[in-house]
């Protein structure tokens, strides 16, 4: 079974040396297929350092980071402590930063984070744990920061510094404008940093505006630095940091001058580096069909020409002379690529009956297919493929939509309170939910308090009823709408449990019940808290377990995107055009999810509402196809076929 993070192919070069491949890069980096694999390697390096220091009778001084990037590193260190006897008795730690003001007991504090993920599970001496104190009075803060620096120096300096990176290019909380000589200090957080943290705090208004952070110079004095970055959301800033000029506007670029720094990346975080984005500019490539498609689409966009207008000179002047020599002429390359893209376009996402399907993305038979549309949250179905969803129903297929999680944490307290008050007024005390207790809880809820079971049930029901309204509008029968409420999600907080056997068994059961010919699933892994990735891995695991079943021989898996990113043109295997009326139908279906309108809880780096961003992406995909010389459409929803 492939991990959800293994979709990106490796790039192969013809006898290219490492230097040639990385000649645009100014920082040493190592790229892994998954963040899990990379995290284990980083944890092993830390463990080796701890043990080598123990053998010499010395302390090991670690600089530690928080956030999502190091979580799996800490999990592996805890595992090594419990299963392999790794001791932290000689370890002294200094954390990079802390929000200000922030109490240690607050579950959004980095003090809470570090104890939850690491310190509570190992044998470290509590006196050796140093985390910036978010409760120090403002009058004492300057001296506190000086003392923090002195404590690092007295411990012998940082032997190893673990880092993540923010979208602003910050390391620690050294935001754009930070000086290379800066030390530990209080800093005002960039707006983008606060937006990225807003979902953890249930809204940007609750995110602290300041933080205490180690300075750039403090970090640069570390003997060894490892910076980790996972996911496509980090790809742009990684390119700027690794390949750009050193600038205080991207503080992470200062690491280019560190003698022993390594960036550890997964493939998604590395996709914008030149050797992955445009490898033909680095050296001669082994030209797979996917790489040819990627290069020719790029060439069209660079030269602002349609495919059939590209010339030999265009190829030769843009690093593709070896491709031209291999294929013979621009004419042959252009015709072949035009046909490849043309064959992705279909208005029959379930296959067109009684037609030649040799050049169509889907099979003609069976004419009526059983279809499962998996939706991680209760609105991803209409956001990402609402038009295709409608077409499948209208064209007579047996369509089932399966919502994998309740989506309850994405409902605001105000929205839940409104429904509770209406419910209380209408039903009274005889309802399944005690609305009066819900109202009392919400009116007295403290910051970061986990919702009660009844509140979570109400929020889940809000999303469920919105989903019914949207699918009825699309034309789906109620009995074909399924809600799994996967257990991994039901924590009542942003942090979820790991995917477990029970989750996989639930997904497996629904697939076995429907016996689908088509499965549509969310391949968009850029959601801020990883729910899409967990849900996709549950589907992969379930389908792998069912692979020996005969009905699975006829089951194709299609991955959609749309809420966060869209497939690049060269990745698309099926492009489903939408008419203007279908675009409006999709918009109205999304708007049935009223609890997600106006104030998007988990918007990531896109502040627009989901219906706006989905519509713009669909229309932009249609424009890209038009610019390449293919037919002009109002909008296009895109899918990639995945061999599970």
């Amino acid at each position: 079974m492939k991990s959800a993070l293994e979709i990106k192919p490796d790039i192969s070069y013809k006898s290219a040396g490492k230097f040639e491949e990385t000649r645009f890069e100014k920082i040493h980096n190592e790229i892994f297929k998954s963040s899990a694999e990379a995290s284990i390697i980083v944890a092993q390096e830390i463990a080796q350092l701890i043990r080598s220091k123990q053998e010499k009778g010395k302390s090991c001084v670690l600089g530690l980071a928080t956030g999502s990037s190091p979580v799996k590193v800490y999990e592996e260190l805890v595992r090594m402590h419990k299963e392999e006897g790794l001791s932290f008795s000689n370890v002294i730690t200094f954390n990079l930063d802390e929000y200000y003001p922030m109490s240690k007991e607050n579950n959004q504090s980095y003090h809470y984070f570090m104890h939850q993920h690491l310190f509570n599970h190992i044998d470290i001496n509590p006196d050796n744990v140093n985390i910036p104190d978010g409760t120090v009075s403002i009058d004492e803060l300057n001296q506190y920061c000086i003392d923090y620096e002195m404590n690092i120096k007295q411990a012998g300096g940082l032997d190893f510094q673990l880092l993540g990176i923010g979208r602003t290019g910050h390391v620690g909380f050294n935001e754009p404008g930070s000086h290379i000589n800066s030390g530990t200090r209080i800093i005002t957080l960039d707006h983008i940093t606060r937006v990225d943290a807003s979902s953890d705090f249930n809204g940007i208004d609750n995110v602290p505006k300041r933080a205490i952070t180690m300075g750039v110079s403090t970090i640069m004095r570390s003997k060894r630095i490892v910076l980790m970055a996972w996911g496509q959301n980090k790809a742009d800033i990684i390119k700027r940091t690794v390949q750009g000029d050193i600038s205080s506007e991207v503080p992470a670029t200062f690491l280019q001058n560190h003698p022993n720094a390594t960036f550890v990346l997964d493939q998604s975080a590395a996709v914008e580096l030149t050797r992955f984005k445009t490898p033909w500019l680095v050296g001669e490539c082994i030209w797979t069909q996917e790489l040819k498609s990627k290069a020719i689409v790029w060439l069209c966009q660079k030269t602002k020409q349609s495919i059939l207008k590209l010339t030999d000179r265009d190829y030769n002047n843009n690093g593709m002379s070896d491709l031209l020599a291999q294929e013979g002429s621009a004419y042959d390359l252009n015709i072949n690529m035009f046909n490849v893209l043309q064959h992705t376009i279909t208005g029959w996402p379930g296959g067109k009956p009684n037609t030649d399907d040799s050049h169509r993305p889907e099979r003609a038979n069976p004419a009526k297919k059983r279809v499962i549309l998996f939706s991680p949250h209760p609105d991803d179905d209409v956001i990402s493929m609402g038009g295709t969803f409608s077409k499948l129903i209208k064209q007579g297929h047996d369509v089932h939509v399966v919502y994998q999680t309740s989506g309850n944490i994405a409902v605001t307290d105000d929205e839940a309170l409104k429904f509770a008050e209406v419910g209380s007024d209408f039903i009274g005390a005889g309802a399944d939910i005690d609305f009066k207790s819900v109202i009392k809880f919400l009116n007295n809820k403290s910051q970061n308090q986990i919702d009660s079971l009844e509140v979570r049930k109400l929020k889940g029901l809000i999303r469920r009823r919105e989903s019914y309204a949207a699918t009825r509008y699309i034309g789906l029968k109620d009995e074909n709408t399924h809600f799994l409420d996967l257990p991994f999600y039901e924590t009542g907080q942003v942090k979820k449990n790991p995917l477990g056997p029970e989750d996989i068994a639930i997904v497996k059961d629904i697939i076995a019940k429907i016996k689908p010919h088509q499965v549509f699933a969310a391949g968009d892994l850029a959601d801020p808290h990883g729910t899409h990735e967990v849900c996709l891995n549950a589907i992969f695991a379930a389908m792998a377990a069912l692979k020996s079943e005969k009905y699975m021989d006829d089951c194709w898996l299609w991955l959609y995107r749309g809420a966060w990113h869209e497939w690049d043109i060269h990745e698309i295997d099926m492009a489903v055009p939408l008419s203007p009326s279908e675009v409006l139908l999709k918009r109205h279906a999304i708007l049935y999810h009223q609890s997600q309108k106006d104030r998007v809880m988990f918007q990531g780096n896109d502040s627009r509402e989901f219906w706006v961003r989905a519509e713009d992406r669909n229309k932009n995909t249609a424009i890209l196809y038009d610019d390449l010389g293919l037919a002009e459409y109002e909008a296009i929803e895109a899918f990639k076929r995945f061999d599970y």
Side-chain angles (χ1 to χ4, degrees):
M1 178 188 69
K2 292 187 178 182
S3 162
L5 299 179
E6 293 182 24
I7 296 170
K8 292 286 181 185
D10 292 326
I11 299 298
S12 297
Y13 298 89
K14 292 180 179 177
S15 63
K18 184 69 173 177
F19 174 76
E20 184 179 4
E21 292 177 28
T22 60
R23 61 192 174 94
F24 291 99
E25 299 166 17
K26 302 173 183 178
I27 297 178
H28 172 242
N29 59 84
E30 296 291 341
I31 298 164
F32 296 83
K33 286 186 176 180
S34 74
S35 59
E37 176 188 353
S39 296
I40 290 172
I41 299 297
V42 173
Q44 288 173 345
E45 180 177 342
I46 294 172
Q48 184 178 2
L49 176 63
I50 293 171
R51 288 179 175 128
S52 68
K53 290 280 188 177
Q54 285 171 346
E55 291 172 359
K56 299 172 184 175
K58 296 182 178 180
S59 296
C60 180
V61 185
L62 302 179
L64 299 180
T66 52
S68 59
S69 298
V71 167
K72 289 185 174 66
V73 173
Y74 297 149
E75 286 178 2
E76 178 63 11
L77 288 172
V78 170
R79 187 201 65 78
M80 285 192 278
H81 168 68
K82 292 181 176 179
E83 298 179 12
E84 299 176 9
L86 175 65
S87 175
F88 291 79
S89 58
N90 70 319
V91 173
I92 302 171
T93 67
F94 290 89
N95 260 76
L96 278 165
D97 43 28
E98 178 62 280
Y99 290 110
Y100 186 87
M102 180 63 69
S103 69
K104 295 177 181 179
E105 296 74 27
N106 190 310
N107 61 12
Q108 298 304 332
S109 75
Y110 289 160
H111 184 279
Y112 181 92
F113 176 97
M114 290 305 305
H115 284 80
Q116 181 186 36
H117 289 284
L118 183 63
F119 298 143
N120 287 345
H121 312 288
I122 58 176
D123 63 338
I124 192 167
N125 183 343
D127 293 337
N128 288 345
V129 172
N130 299 275
I131 303 172
D133 188 349
T135 65
V136 175
S137 70
I138 194 71
D139 294 338
E140 299 173 340
L141 197 54
N142 184 55
Q143 185 59 48
Y144 176 83
C145 292
I146 293 171
D147 292 343
Y148 201 79
E149 290 275 336
M150 290 303 299
N151 289 339
I152 295 173
K153 186 174 182 180
Q154 289 170 4
L158 298 171
D159 295 308
F160 183 102
Q161 177 64 65
L162 193 65
L163 296 174
I165 185 170
R167 286 195 298 123
T168 63
H170 70 234
V171 285
F173 273 134
N174 291 285
E175 298 284 17
S178 295
H179 196 275
I180 192 169
N181 292 327
S182 58
T184 300
R185 67 203 187 283
I186 190 168
I187 193 166
T188 299
L189 298 178
D190 188 275
H191 176 72
I192 293 175
T193 299
R194 295 182 68 235
V195 167
D196 286 348
S198 62
S199 58
D200 292 332
F201 286 86
N202 291 319
I204 192 168
D205 293 341
N206 299 321
V207 180
K209 295 182 179 180
R210 294 184 292 178
I212 302 170
T213 184
M214 279 189 201
V216 176
S217 67
T218 319
I219 294 168
M220 291 292 287
R221 287 195 295 271
S222 305
K223 301 177 184 70
R224 168 71 167 149
I225 295 175
V226 171
L227 183 148
M228 301 177 298
W230 321 132
Q232 193 169 347
N233 280 344
K234 298 294 177 69
D236 287 335
I237 195 62
I238 285 296
K239 180 180 180 179
R240 290 180 65 190
T241 302
V242 172
Q243 297 187 182
D245 294 332
I246 295 174
S247 167
S248 63
E249 288 306 301
V250 183
T253 57
F254 289 127
L255 298 176
Q256 292 179 17
N257 284 334
H258 193 277
N260 191 16
T262 298
F263 280 29
V264 176
L265 315 171
D266 66 4
Q267 289 182 335
S268 295
V271 292
E272 291 296 322
L273 296 178
T274 299
R275 59 174 156 138
F276 292 98
K277 184 77 171 180
T278 52
W280 47 89
L281 299 179
V282 173
E284 291 190 1
C285 304
I286 297 174
W287 289 99
T288 62
Q289 180 57 53
E290 184 169 4
L291 191 57
K292 278 192 271 188
S293 299
K294 182 178 184 179
I296 294 171
V297 169
W298 173 85
L299 184 58
C300 289
Q301 293 170 338
K302 186 175 188 297
T303 61
K304 294 181 171 57
Q305 296 185 96
S306 62
I307 294 170
L308 297 179
K309 290 184 178 179
L310 295 173
T311 66
D312 287 1
R313 177 176 290 183
D314 293 324
Y315 285 93
N316 285 326
N317 288 349
N318 289 281
M320 288 183 251
S321 57
D322 58 327
L323 174 60
L324 194 64
Q326 176 182 306
E327 298 293 328
S329 70
Y331 177 84
D332 292 331
L333 273 168
N334 296 347
I335 288 290
N336 289 337
M337 184 60 202
F338 184 88
N339 288 335
V340 166
L341 285 179
Q342 181 67 44
H343 294 156
T344 65
I345 301 172
T346 181
W348 296 81
K352 188 173 184 179
N354 305 314
T355 56
D356 177 12
D357 60 10
S358 56
H359 295 301
R360 290 180 175 274
E362 250 296 354
R363 305 148 289 172
N365 295 311
K368 181 178 180 180
K369 293 182 174 65
R370 292 184 298 275
V371 180
I372 293 180
L373 196 174
F374 279 109
S375 181
H377 303 97
D379 57 359
D380 290 308
D381 54 334
V382 289
I383 289 172
S384 298
M385 56 173 291
T388 303
F389 188 178
S390 174
K391 283 182 186 289
L392 288 165
I393 295 170
K394 289 177 180 177
Q395 291 166 5
H397 300 286
D398 181 21
V399 181
H400 296 255
V401 64
V402 177
Y403 298 108
Q404 292 176 269
T405 71
S406 67
N408 55 32
I409 66 163
V411 178
T412 64
D413 292 343
D414 290 341
E415 189 77 12
L417 182 60
K418 177 179 70 177
F419 276 84
E421 289 171 340
V422 170
S424 180
D425 291 343
F426 185 71
I427 300 174
D432 289 339
I433 295 176
D434 183 350
F435 288 108
K436 293 190 183 300
S437 70
V438 169
I439 293 168
K440 181 178 180 181
F441 177 90
L442 291 172
N443 280 326
N444 294 281
K445 182 179 176 182
S446 60
Q447 186 178 354
N448 300 315
Q449 184 178 359
I450 296 174
D451 284 339
S452 67
L453 287 173
E454 284 207 312
V455 171
R456 285 153 57 186
K457 182 177 180 180
L458 174 62
K459 289 182 175 182
L461 286 174
I462 291 170
R463 306 240 26 208
R464 181 171 293 203
R465 286 300 160 188
E466 289 174 343
S467 298
Y468 272 123
T471 54
R472 287 168 185 163
Y473 181 74
I474 291 285
L476 191 70
K477 299 176 292 186
D478 282 1
E479 57 264 33
N480 282 21
T481 301
H482 311 270
F483 297 88
L484 302 186
D485 292 344
L486 293 181
F488 85 88
Y489 184 89
E490 297 301 322
T491 63
Q493 52 189 334
V494 171
K495 179 178 168 52
K496 306 297 185 296
N497 291 323
L499 181 68
E502 187 180 356
D503 301 299
I504 296 168
I506 292 170
V507 175
K508 182 180 169 183
D509 287 345
I510 194 72
I511 295 174
K513 178 181 177 182
I514 297 171
K515 298 179 173 57
H517 301 98
Q518 282 185 314
V519 169
F520 289 89
D524 195 338
L525 307 183
D527 67 304
H529 292 286
T531 300
H532 281 217
E533 182 184 339
V534 177
C535 287
L536 185 58
N537 281 331
I539 295 168
F540 285 159
M543 294 182 77
L546 292 167
K547 200 162 188 176
S548 60
E549 300 293 335
K550 186 160 181 58
Y551 60 84
M552 294 300 290
D553 293 340
D554 297 322
C555 182
W556 288 15
L557 174 59
W558 293 97
L559 301 183
Y560 62 79
R561 287 183 174 176
W564 309 100
H565 292 294
E566 187 55 279
W567 296 111
D568 289 333
I569 294 293
H570 71 276
E571 296 175 307
I572 296 171
D573 294 317
M574 180 163 66
V576 180
L578 306 183
S579 67
S581 62
E582 288 171 323
V583 171
L584 283 176
L585 179 143
K586 173 174 177 168
R587 180 194 301 177
H588 292 150
I590 296 171
L591 292 177
Y592 274 102
H593 294 272
Q594 284 292 306
S595 69
Q596 304 304 293
K597 193 179 181 302
D598 299 326
R599 287 192 301 167
V600 180
M601 289 277 282
F602 302 105
Q603 61 191 26
N605 58 6
D606 192 333
S607 61
R608 299 172 298 169
E609 291 184 43
F610 282 121
W611 74 267
V612 178
R613 62 171 86 171
E615 203 164 293
D616 285 352
R617 288 193 179 109
N618 294 161
K619 290 186 175 184
N620 185 59
T621 301
I623 291 169
L624 291 174
Y625 267 81
D626 183 33
D627 290 344
L628 292 170
L630 292 120
E632 182 178 1
Y633 297 102
E634 178 72 9
I636 288 177
E637 291 178 337
F639 304 86
K640 181 176 180 63
R641 189 178 168 196
F642 190 77
D643 294 324
Y644 54 91

